């Protein structure tokens, strides 16, 4: 099953949703502010992003700034990052795609094509 973690107010999320619908992909829409990706999904996305922890975070979000994560992220332990991301969906870079083939944060048509085909 394909899951699209998204926020309705996010233009990138709406674009990703429209793209999935245009490809005829059957997916479950998940409100990322209410339900964050699982630790396993975050681990898969981190691997897909070549273990660049910053790629999992919504670095332009208010919660990221208010928590001072710009300065904390370079020394943040991976487990601590997972806990933060799971406890606050606003911190997760969106849209977030979870499939049987892998997970990824952010919308990239080429990468998403490989995960939903």
């Amino acid at each position: 099953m394909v899951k699209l973690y998204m926020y309705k107010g996010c233009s990138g999320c709406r674009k990703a949703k429209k793209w999935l619908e245009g490809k005829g992909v059957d997916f479950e829409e998940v409100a990322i502010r209410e339900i964050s990706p699982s630790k396993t999904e975050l681990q898969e996305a981190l691997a897909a992003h070549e273990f660049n922890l910053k790629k999992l975070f919504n670095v332009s979000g208010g919660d990221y700034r208010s928590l001072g994560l710009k300065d904390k992220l370079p020394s943040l332990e991976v487990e601590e990052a997972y806990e933060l991301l799971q406890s606050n969906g606003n911190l997760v870079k969106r849209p977030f795609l979870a499939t049987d083939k892998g997970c990824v944060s952010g919308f990239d048509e080429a990468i998403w094509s490989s995960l939903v085909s």
Side-chain angles (χ1 to χ4, degrees):
M1 178 59 161
V2 175
K3 287 193 277 186
L4 174 63
Y5 291 90
M6 63 174 287
Y7 171 59
K8 291 184 182 195
C10 167
S11 61
C13 295
R14 291 190 303 268
K15 179 180 177 182
K17 179 181 176 181
K18 187 175 180 179
W19 182 85
L20 287 171
E21 290 170 342
K23 297 285 183 190
V25 176
D26 184 29
F27 64 94
E28 174 188 356
E29 187 176 325
V30 181
I32 198 165
R33 291 176 136 188
E34 297 167 22
I35 302 171
S36 297
S38 70
K39 182 177 179 181
T40 301
E41 290 168 336
L42 292 167
Q43 289 170 328
E44 288 183 23
L46 183 59
H49 292 299
E50 299 175 345
F51 301 95
N52 181 347
L53 199 52
K54 187 175 181 180
K55 297 257 184 182
L56 296 183
F57 282 87
N58 176 12
V59 297
S60 62
D63 289 2
Y64 182 87
R65 287 190 300 275
S66 69
L67 291 171
L69 288 172
K70 178 183 176 189
D71 298 323
K72 294 177 185 175
L73 195 58
S75 61
L76 197 64
E77 295 290 330
V78 174
E79 289 300 321
E80 190 178 358
Y82 291 148
E83 288 176 23
L84 279 170
L85 292 164
Q86 285 185 283
S87 68
N88 184 344
N90 282 334
L91 292 174
V92 181
K93 181 171 180 71
R94 55 189 185 243
F96 189 99
L97 182 69
T99 75
D100 293 340
K101 294 182 180 180
C103 302
V104 68
S105 58
F107 181 57
D108 181 313
E109 286 186 34
I111 294 171
W112 282 41
S113 289
S114 68
L115 294 175
V116 298
S117 59

